Amino acid sequence: MKISGNWLKEFIPNIKINEKLTYNLTSLGLEVSSVVKHKGDLIIDIDMTPNRADCLSMLGIARDLSAVYNKKIIFPKIANIKVTPSKKFINKIDKKICGSYGALVLHGVDNTIKTPNIITQRLNKCGISKVNFIVDILNYVMIEVGQPMHAFDLDKINRLINVRYAKANEKINALDGVKYTLNKNIPVITDDNKIQAIAGIIGGDYSSINLKTQNVIIESAFFTPTVIRKAAKLFRLQTDASYRFERGVDPRLNNIAAGRVLYLMKKYSNVKNYQYNLTTNKELIKKHNHVINVKYNFFDESLGVQISRNFIKKTFKLLGFNPISYNDKIRLTIPSHRFDIKIEQDLVEEIARVYGYDNFEPVLPHNIFKINKDPSIFSENIINGLVSRGFNEIISFSFLPKNSQLSTNNISDIIKIKNPISEDKSELRASMVHSMIRAYKYNVSRQNANIKIFEIGKIYNFVKSKKIKENNILSGIISGINAENNLKSDQENLSFLDLKGHLQSIIPNIIFKPYKNIKHLNKFCQATLYQGKHTIGYCGEISQELYSEYGIKNNLYYFEIFTDSINNAIDTKYKKFSIYPKIKRDLTILVDDKIYVQDIIDIIGEKSFNYMINSKISDIFYNKKEFGDNIKSITLEFIFQDCNSTLTDNTVNTEMDKILNLIKKHFNAQVRT
Amino acid sequence: MQKKYSSLISELREKLKDCNTAHDIANIKSEYLGKNGYITNEFSKLRNAQESEKKKLGKELNILKSQAHDIILNTNIINNKTEERFVDVTLPGKNAFVGSRHPISITISEITKILESHGFTPVTGIEVENEYYNFEALNIPESHPSRDMHDTFYVLEDKLLRTHTSSVQIHTMLNQSAPLKIMTPGKVYRCDSDPTHSPMFHQIEGLYIDKGINFCHLKGTLIAFIDEYFGKKMEIRFRPSYFPFTEPSAEIDIRFKGKWLEVLGCGMVHHNVLENVNINPKQFSGFAFGLGIERLAMLKYGITDLRMFFENDISFLSQFERAE
């Protein structure tokens, strides 16, 4: 809300319009977002928080300032307005919509007269342009005291005013040139014939004021905030009126505002006589004046400093709470303009902000708390491991474009956003693979094809009848060459084994088992990952389908780890090791290419040969001419060692013979010589 | 020692003098100490020696062996020096991997480390949340204008993408009893997109509930946090604001390049919120705060467009290689 500094002087005489003023406003919670100098005045723009509806006027802001400047405010002059006994203009008012309806009727107004400069200039500073005399006066009073009002051309009103909810499909052509189709949630002002306004939001075009208007009904009413809010939200319509009504306009203000309008009309135009009709729900008004009794020391306990009783009492007096001290308590009557004050705690803020938040001493609490690690917060070791192996961490949107996951997920598992911000962000990711491929593709388009990236994030799925499951995932993708900065002779294209190497280096005790059933991976190049007996993820080359869906030409290797399943706590125990010499033996055999080397090593391992402490593959070799199709030559390396003495060749030879027989038997292997 | 053994040593020394490469030395080593080397063979001859001689000979051979060994070893070092060759040390190191962490992750980790030192335990939670935990439990009724501050994504009638991580605080307060001191980092979502707003962004919120916690504690903790994060005493402004779940509420601005920048929202936990999670406000009080990670990261690294964070351009990401 924009206000004029000089205008404040009418409420607080001699207030200095300077930097101290803007500091005080912000310090009161009326945050100054900008200050513009304008012909000896300051135009101050205030970001109003939604709880401070009472400060959407010069009066409200001045009232808050009065507590800091310790000066009573001067109220604008109002005409003594009397309610006309006969209700000539108001018929039925729906109490749920409207707690008080005042109708100020003026005859023979000359609406062609020029609005006084002081009014148009002030309105202009507050960002409101001039319209015509009557409307300008109403806008002026709205900015001045905070009461939105609406004027109807009396000659266009057929008999009596009603306030009710619209019926389905009733329509109104509003002042903004839009034709609104209404429904039963929209409050309206009607006469006997038609809908004349959407209550508290916008007037109708038909009965609007123009230069020819002579006779007017000026509506000064209290509308229920929730009703106005619901309707305004439905039409996505925010007017100066709806903005104030939905936040809460003082229900006692409408008569005062009508009096102020009458005063200004009399002062600036030929208006002499008036009629004023009023329908008020007295109970509602009473509800807006509840009483709270607070112990003085509640303020001290909440704020952590001793605050003098005088200060508390004086502050509440200036803010209009009518304080009365008794014993160790203060009795406060909540003014009807303070919709935001409901409980004791709300009163503490009043004192704190007038005292000045900057004036409280910072104090560190010194109770000691034990830190409990959330198990779902992922191990920094694994992340740092990836980073030191050259991976870049990415963060992608949890959203993906419409129907972009059909190749990888069941449509019924995918969670769609009901009100997406755009089509390319309209569903939640059900796996990480698309996020990864998209990030890869984006970088390729930026001439960066050597990619090693990872992300830690969630995937979201529907499981069984609209139940939602979120899983924490670490996933990554690699493509291109091993190390860009290596000399050409040391560069190699990345392969599945590079991916495997990375994972083996960063995840303790990881085991890879061949697998075929993950749809979005190449079925000849995929593995599930285990730690002990627990599945912790999978990895492999992406499927042909994904390659062609994304038009990717390079090989992409993907991994996905279920971070909640990972066990980082390794139970380390020292094992005694032998100090006697090791004997190393190699064995080269020819086997079918489809045989997994791990199977050979596992079978040897199960048999537990004497003195054999380790076995591994050391080389692999293909030679179609010599071995034939689909045959590979593998060299296995075995290490033998005894705990108590030096082994002899004979002993080892015996074991090696046994191993060879076993391999021959199980894998139809031939010894290569 | 036998004469032939001592001449053997001088012979060895002569031979080593002629060596030019490490390979030559290795050959000489195997000539003397290898499987079929001279000294090794002398050992095998021991078996045929007379019992009386055996012990003495064995001892001498051992000395010889260790002498020869030492000489070869030392020659090795001297000869390596004479062999000095030019190596271009400016060539790229082999397999030098330079990865990076995302600036958002770095910022979260820096913040959580500071807060941990103040006793806040990290807690995470679900992102697709029931409306109740995101709004009503936090004293944000449906009709309240403050819901305008949260443009919310819905996935089902009553399921939404959390607009703040305060929902995690509600779950934690319901599951644990007071006192508690937690922080909740994570992703949050709002229907908003422009250079300063992203539909997905990151937040960290803190919550401390205990007996006798007051406004000065809130101020003390947060000022300490900000100074620690920026690594120096910052010019800070503490001003009243409004959040439905705190009362009094405040916002903290820091002075940055001559302008006040809002970095953190906070306040004393609203009694309605405490009652909603069965904590007696007469017994316990507390404070809560929340801050946007992107905003802090932008300030710290001088990033001007929020969208950079989620484009995942390696040229952007790789700049943060050692930022931690």
Side-chain angles (χ1 to χ4, degrees):
Chain A
M1 178 182 173
K2 278 185 185 156
I3 62 163
S4 141
N6 288 341
W7 194 355
L8 277 174
K9 291 181 187 164
E10 288 204 355
F11 299 86
I12 306 174
N14 303 325
I15 187 171
K16 292 217 170 63
I17 309 306
N18 54 16
E19 243 177 63
K20 180 78 185 153
L21 170 69
T22 57
Y23 172 84
N24 283 332
L25 284 167
T26 297
S27 165
L28 277 166
L30 311 175
E31 190 199 355
V32 174
S33 61
S34 74
V35 179
V36 177
K37 280 187 188 144
H38 180 84
K39 294 180 187 161
D41 195 1
L42 291 185
I43 296 173
I44 303 166
D45 199 353
I46 297 176
D47 277 349
M48 207 63 75
T49 52
N51 59 325
R52 292 309 303 276
D54 62 300
C55 283
L56 293 170
S57 66
M58 297 299 301
L59 172 69
I61 290 165
R63 186 167 42 216
D64 252 33
L65 284 170
S66 75
V68 176
Y69 286 87
N70 199 9
K71 278 179 183 159
K72 269 184 145 178
I73 52 168
I74 293 170
F75 208 85
K77 286 185 181 134
I78 60 169
N80 188 12
I81 192 166
K82 283 195 181 119
V83 176
T84 319
S86 72
K87 287 203 174 166
K88 268 177 78 179
F89 303 102
I90 303 174
N91 183 23
K92 264 192 168 166
I93 305 290
D94 185 333
K95 279 187 188 172
K96 283 189 206 103
I97 301 170
C98 179
S100 182
Y101 196 98
L104 174 66
V105 177
L106 305 171
H107 288 277
V109 187
D110 179 6
N111 202 25
T112 62
I113 60 171
K114 190 172 173 273
T115 312
N117 280 342
I118 178 108
I119 289 180
T120 51
Q121 277 164 11
R122 280 178 176 172
L123 283 178
N124 190 34
K125 285 175 190 168
C126 298
I128 293 180
S129 35
K130 63 178 176 187
V131 183
N132 57 47
F133 176 67
I134 299 173
V135 174
D136 293 345
I137 295 289
L138 298 190
N139 281 337
Y140 185 78
V141 176
M142 175 180 75
I143 300 293
E144 189 177 38
V145 300
Q147 174 71 53
M149 284 171 283
H150 183 67
F152 300 97
D153 188 328
L154 183 59
D155 300 329
K156 303 273 177 68
I157 298 289
N158 194 337
R159 282 172 33 96
L160 297 170
I161 293 277
N162 299 285
V163 180
R164 64 166 167 87
Y165 277 113
K167 290 165 196 143
N169 289 323
E170 282 188 301
K171 292 185 172 65
I172 181 173
N173 288 312
L175 278 171
D176 58 358
V178 177
K179 186 172 193 169
Y180 292 93
T181 304
L182 310 172
N183 62 45
K184 62 178 176 36
N185 289 318
I186 309 297
V188 290
I189 312 292
T190 72
D191 63 6
D192 281 8
N193 288 344
K194 62 189 295 169
I195 293 179
Q196 298 289 5
I198 302 177
I201 301 175
I202 194 165
D205 189 42
Y206 177 73
S207 56
S208 66
I209 303 287
N210 56 45
L211 291 178
K212 288 177 196 154
T213 304
Q214 294 187 330
N215 306 315
V216 289
I217 299 187
I218 293 164
E219 164 197 290
S220 185
F222 170 73
F223 294 110
T224 311
T226 48
V227 173
I228 302 303
R229 174 172 168 72
K230 207 169 174 185
K233 211 178 164 190
L234 210 74
F235 290 135
R236 292 171 182 264
L237 191 59
Q238 194 180 67
T239 60
D240 284 329
S242 72
Y243 185 71
R244 287 174 171 79
F245 280 127
E246 69 176 39
R247 283 164 171 73
V249 171
D250 183 352
R252 287 168 182 270
L253 188 62
N254 64 331
N255 296 331
I256 296 164
R260 179 65 179 158
V261 169
L262 186 57
Y263 174 86
L264 293 171
M265 286 287 189
K266 282 181 168 173
K267 184 172 176 187
Y268 294 117
S269 78
N270 55 343
V271 164
K272 292 210 164 52
N273 299 318
Y274 72 92
Q275 285 163 287
Y276 188 55
N277 277 189
L278 180 68
T279 298
T280 297
N281 173 2
K282 290 207 177 88
E283 269 167 44
L284 178 132
I285 306 289
K286 225 194 246 166
K287 226 175 64 187
H288 280 273
N289 268 139
H290 61 293
V291 167
I292 303 178
N293 298 297
V294 205
K295 278 192 173 170
Y296 274 109
N297 66 12
F298 180 69
F299 295 97
D300 303 346
E301 282 166 12
S302 305
L303 293 172
V305 288
Q306 197 101 42
I307 293 181
S308 83
R309 293 186 175 200
N310 267 343
F311 178 81
I312 292 171
K313 209 174 158 186
K314 180 205 83 187
T315 299
F316 281 121
K317 195 167 170 49
L318 288 162
L319 292 174
F321 286 71
N322 196 22
I324 300 166
S325 278
Y326 68 100
N327 304 330
D328 56 348
K329 283 186 179 173
I330 183 165
R331 177 189 161 87
L332 299 162
T333 308
I334 312 309
S336 53
H337 56 262
R338 293 304 298 269
F339 284 73
D340 57 323
I341 295 192
K342 296 192 177 77
I343 58 172
E344 286 185 347
Q345 207 183 2
D346 299 324
L347 296 164
V348 173
E349 183 174 87
E350 295 305 294
I351 294 304
R353 63 194 187 88
V354 175
Y355 187 86
Y357 281 15
D358 280 339
N359 299 322
F360 291 93
E361 271 308 307
V363 175
L364 276 176
H366 41 243
N367 296 3
I368 296 199
F369 274 78
K370 189 179 156 276
I371 306 289
N372 298 306
K373 280 277 180 201
D374 180 339
S376 67
I377 289 175
F378 197 56
S379 161
E380 292 271 320
N381 287 345
I382 291 181
I383 297 165
N384 292 337
L386 282 169
V387 171
S388 62
R389 299 185 70 83
F391 280 75
N392 298 106
E393 185 187 12
I394 67 166
I395 297 181
S396 349
F397 281 111
S398 311
F399 311 109
L400 284 171
K402 196 175 172 187
N403 296 331
S404 61
Q405 308 183 76
L406 297 177
S407 59
T408 52
N409 297 79
N410 290 330
I411 192 159
S412 57
D413 296 348
I414 294 168
I415 300 171
K416 296 199 162 64
I417 310 284
K418 291 178 79 168
N419 54 333
I421 199 154
S422 59
E423 219 164 66
D424 73 324
K425 294 191 179 64
S426 64
E427 54 193 43
L428 292 177
R429 61 179 177 202
S431 78
M432 290 281 251
V433 72
H434 295 281
S435 299
M436 284 295 141
I437 297 178
R438 278 164 191 280
Y440 167 77
K441 273 207 76 171
Y442 178 83
N443 280 289
V444 169
S445 76
R446 308 295 298 259
Q447 297 172 300
N448 238 333
N450 296 317
I451 294 294
K452 278 189 276 180
I453 50 177
F454 74 98
E455 176 166 5
I456 301 149
K458 288 189 183 233
I459 56 171
Y460 316 80
N461 284 280
F462 275 130
V463 289
K464 276 185 265 171
S465 63
K466 300 285 169 193
K467 263 191 81 181
I468 290 168
K469 180 118 179 68
E470 294 177 19
N471 289 92
N472 295 307
I473 299 290
L474 161 68
S475 76
I477 218 162
I478 64 171
S479 184
I481 51 174
N482 56 343
E484 244 179 324
N485 292 328
N486 276 7
L487 297 176
K488 274 264 154 32
S489 53
D490 293 328
Q491 283 180 358
E492 263 178 62
N493 281 327
L494 290 171
S495 70
F496 175 81
L497 294 183
D498 287 282
L499 180 67
K500 183 171 175 177
H502 288 307
L503 296 176
Q504 283 178 314
S505 314
I506 57 161
I507 298 172
N509 306 327
I510 190 170
I511 297 165
F512 292 69
K513 289 197 179 157
Y515 200 64
K516 284 190 166 32
N517 297 336
I518 292 159
K519 213 174 125 192
H520 53 271
L521 295 181
N522 171 356
K523 70 171 185 269
F524 299 114
C525 178
Q526 57 171 278
T528 34
L529 310 175
Y530 290 84
Q531 254 185 338
K533 287 190 173 121
H534 303 284
T535 315
I536 57 160
Y538 57 85
C539 69
E541 185 181 8
I542 67 164
S543 69
Q544 285 306 317
E545 200 180 350
L546 283 175
Y547 278 131
S548 53
E549 183 182 332
Y550 285 96
I552 292 168
K553 294 189 187 77
N554 295 326
N555 295 5
L556 248 66
Y557 299 94
Y558 175 77
F559 70 91
E560 189 163 313
I561 307 245
F562 319 136
T563 60
D564 297 336
S565 315
I566 279 205
N567 177 15
N568 288 306
I570 306 161
D571 200 12
T572 307
K573 287 265 159 52
Y574 161 72
K575 274 184 245 127
K576 210 183 161 213
F577 56 92
S578 166
I579 52 161
Y580 290 92
K582 289 175 186 167
I583 292 180
K584 193 181 94 180
R585 289 292 167 86
D586 283 346
L587 176 63
T588 302
I589 52 169
L590 296 173
V591 287
D592 189 289
D593 188 29
K594 290 274 161 54
I595 287 173
Y596 291 111
V597 170
Q598 189 64 43
D599 288 349
I600 302 175
I601 289 168
D602 283 348
I603 275 191
I604 297 165
E606 276 163 29
K607 282 279 165 184
S608 68
F609 291 94
N610 292 333
Y611 311 117
M612 197 189 82
I613 60 160
N614 194 19
S615 61
K616 64 169 193 179
I617 175 165
S618 65
D619 206 359
I620 190 155
F621 186 62
Y622 293 86
N623 188 335
K624 256 188 203 173
K625 260 191 204 160
E626 221 175 296
F627 318 143
D629 272 346
N630 303 324
I631 297 288
K632 60 188 164 190
S633 153
I634 54 176
T635 303
L636 300 168
E637 182 186 299
F638 303 92
I639 310 281
F640 295 87
Q641 191 182 29
D642 184 16
C643 304
N644 304 312
S645 62
T646 305
L647 282 176
T648 64
D649 277 349
N650 282 343
T651 319
V652 174
N653 289 344
T654 319
E655 295 306 311
M656 281 304 291
D657 286 345
K658 284 194 222 159
I659 289 172
L660 182 59
N661 284 334
L662 182 79
I663 298 174
K664 276 182 174 166
K665 193 173 128 201
H666 274 87
F667 300 101
N668 193 23
Q670 285 180 301
V671 181
R672 190 174 152 225
T673 45
Chain B
M1 189 183 282
Q2 290 192 6
K3 224 184 192 160
K4 67 170 176 179
Y5 288 168
S6 41
S7 65
L8 195 119
I9 292 292
S10 44
E11 182 191 306
L12 173 66
R13 283 207 165 100
E14 284 307 308
K15 279 186 179 172
L16 283 170
K17 272 181 193 162
D18 295 337
C19 284
N20 291 322
T21 65
H23 188 249
D24 295 342
I25 297 173
N27 279 342
I28 290 175
K29 188 178 176 186
S30 79
E31 192 181 317
Y32 286 84
L33 297 166
K35 221 173 175 183
N36 284 313
Y38 182 80
I39 296 176
T40 321
N41 282 336
E42 286 297 302
F43 269 106
S44 357
K45 285 183 196 158
L46 267 183
R47 278 183 225 142
N48 309 326
Q50 293 173 3
E51 276 313 305
S52 57
E53 287 282 298
K54 244 183 196 175
K55 211 174 170 186
K56 188 182 159 228
L57 270 174
K59 205 174 173 184
E60 281 186 7
L61 264 177
N62 269 324
I63 294 168
L64 180 73
K65 190 182 169 186
S66 78
Q67 260 186 355
H69 196 268
D70 284 353
I71 289 165
I72 293 168
L73 206 71
N74 287 331
T75 316
N76 216 347
I77 294 162
I78 297 159
N79 269 24
N80 258 353
K81 274 187 186 159
T82 60
E83 218 191 311
E84 276 176 358
R85 271 214 208 138
F86 174 74
V87 171
D88 183 352
V89 295
T90 66
L91 288 177
K94 223 183 237 185
N95 298 339
F97 294 128
V98 187
S100 64
R101 287 217 66 187
H102 196 283
I104 298 286
S105 304
I106 297 170
T107 309
I108 291 178
S109 134
E110 285 171 348
I111 293 172
T112 49
K113 267 178 202 145
I114 296 169
L115 291 176
E116 270 186 12
S117 75
H118 286 276
F120 290 88
T121 284
V123 188
T124 58
I126 51 172
E127 292 173 16
V128 186
E129 193 43 279
N130 286 321
E131 206 168 25
Y132 174 81
Y133 294 104
N134 195 74
F135 288 127
E136 279 85 355
L138 286 150
N139 199 33
I140 316 173
E142 186 173 6
S143 59
H144 205 281
S146 62
R147 279 215 185 173
D148 286 350
M149 293 150 87
H150 302 250
D151 291 318
T152 313
F153 287 114
Y154 281 84
V155 300
L156 289 175
E157 201 55 54
D158 59 342
K159 288 256 187 195
L160 45 75
L161 300 185
R162 65 181 183 195
T163 60
H164 43 208
T165 60
S166 315
S167 48
V168 181
Q169 302 186 347
I170 297 293
H171 288 296
T172 313
M173 285 190 281
L174 282 168
N175 294 336
Q176 297 175 23
S177 54
L180 53 87
K181 200 169 189 180
I182 57 164
M183 58 175 149
T184 56
K187 288 188 172 87
V188 299
Y189 304 87
R190 292 185 197 172
C191 295
D192 224 343
S193 186
D194 62 46
T196 54
H197 293 92
S198 167
M200 176 185 90
F201 58 102
H202 296 76
Q203 257 194 349
I204 188 162
E205 295 190 310
L207 172 75
Y208 178 27
I209 309 278
D210 206 339
K211 284 180 180 154
I213 295 302
N214 62 46
F215 196 68
C216 290
H217 294 132
L218 161 74
K219 215 176 148 174
T221 305
L222 294 180
I223 287 177
F225 164 73
I226 287 173
D227 289 346
E228 282 169 55
Y229 178 75
F230 287 98
K232 59 178 179 204
K233 193 96 197 112
M234 298 296 288
E235 196 183 342
I236 290 171
R237 182 171 80 173
F238 208 64
R239 62 182 163 81
S241 185
Y242 170 70
F243 307 105
F245 31 86
T246 50
E247 183 75 27
S249 301
E251 240 154 334
I252 296 181
D253 302 334
I254 57 164
R255 193 83 163 163
F256 195 81
K257 292 183 180 160
K259 274 188 175 167
W260 286 112
L261 282 184
E262 178 192 318
V263 290
L264 199 153
C266 58
M268 305 302 293
V269 181
H270 200 288
H271 288 183
N272 291 358
V273 175
L274 293 178
E275 275 162 9
N276 286 341
V277 295
N278 311 319
I279 293 174
N280 183 356
K282 291 216 164 68
Q283 241 187 317
F284 288 99
S285 57
F287 62 76
F289 57 91
L291 52 90
I293 303 295
E294 280 78 0
R295 200 178 170 79
L296 280 191
M298 285 169 91
L299 275 184
K300 192 152 185 170
Y301 301 119
I303 297 163
T304 48
D305 189 340
L306 181 60
R307 290 172 292 200
M308 298 290 279
F309 286 122
F310 309 117
E311 272 171 0
N312 295 326
D313 194 320
I314 301 294
S315 312
F316 171 75
L317 297 171
S318 55
Q319 296 182 25
F320 302 94
E321 49 176 298
R322 278 178 189 110
E324 203 166 359

